[in-house]
Amino acid sequence: MDQIGGEANDRASKLKKPTFKHIESELYSYHETLKEIQFLRNNIMFTKENDDENVGGGRRSYISSPTEQIGTRLATHKRLNKLEEIANAIEKVYTGLPEDYRKLIELKFWSKPQIYTMDGVAGKLHVSKRQAMRWRDEIIQITAEVLGWR
């Protein structure tokens, strides 16, 4: 990612605190989000919806092909789309980061149980606590930019 370094740091202060906390929360719950996405997709694909209640005749007002119905429900499910947008942004940012930044994400946000403080993460990465916090801030800032959040 070309935003790594001082450039992203300058913009990090412009990110609203609730947005920062929200993205941080999304990073912590990334794996649960992936599970929820799969659950919603399975629920949409394998449950029967839109039974024809058109008893009086006339044309049906919905798509009759089961495959098209499932595709339409997947494409228009707001919660599923929002979760996929967030998960895709996190994955895009993660894969574009240098190895040390990815290790920070794994230690700080994805290790279960959460055993590392920022001091512990910094120690594992062999950097200062302040440097680890700058990296975290940059990761969150870049994720906000990918999501289009402010």
Side-chain angles (χ1 to χ4, degrees):
M1 298 249 134
D2 59 8
Q3 289 107 336
I4 303 299
E7 185 181 330
N9 234 3
D10 296 337
R11 291 188 302 255
S13 62
K14 297 177 187 170
L15 194 60
K16 293 180 180 180
K17 188 171 183 173
T19 305
F20 183 94
K21 291 293 186 189
H22 186 173
I23 293 170
E24 196 172 38
S25 171
E26 293 296 347
L27 283 164
Y28 278 116
S29 62
Y30 173 70
H31 291 98
E32 288 77 22
T33 300
L34 294 178
K35 289 177 189 171
E36 186 173 354
I37 288 169
Q38 192 57 51
F39 173 80
L40 288 171
R41 287 183 144 279
N42 289 340
N43 194 29
I44 290 168
M45 292 191 311
F46 301 115
T47 57
K48 180 98 170 104
E49 285 186 21
N50 288 343
D51 289 327
D52 188 6
E53 297 175 3
N54 186 9
V55 203
R59 293 184 61 187
R60 291 180 281 207
S61 62
Y62 68 94
I63 302 168
S64 60
S65 163
T67 303
E68 290 173 358
Q69 286 177 1
I70 290 169
T72 300
R73 287 196 313 261
L74 286 170
T76 59
H77 195 282
K78 287 183 182 181
R79 176 139 181 86
L80 176 61
N81 291 336
K82 186 53 75 178
L83 291 173
E84 286 178 333
E85 176 187 9
I86 292 167
N88 290 339
I90 290 171
E91 184 178 338
K92 179 179 180 180
V93 169
Y94 178 80
T95 58
L97 290 172
E99 182 61 34
D100 288 342
Y101 284 66
R102 288 196 305 264
K103 189 73 175 160
L104 182 140
I105 290 174
E106 293 164 11
L107 292 170
K108 178 66 180 154
F109 299 109
W110 295 350
S111 63
K112 302 291 182 199
Q114 183 62 46
I115 56 173
Y116 295 110
T117 62
M118 279 309 275
D119 286 321
V121 170
K124 285 281 193 182
L125 296 173
H126 308 290
V127 297
S128 69
K129 177 182 177 182
R130 185 67 213 133
Q131 182 64 43
M133 291 174 68
R134 276 195 291 274
W135 289 357
R136 178 207 58 195
D137 293 351
E138 289 177 44
I139 291 165
I140 291 173
Q141 178 64 37
I142 294 166
T143 305
E145 290 173 10
V146 170
L147 286 166
W149 294 359
R150 55 187 189 92

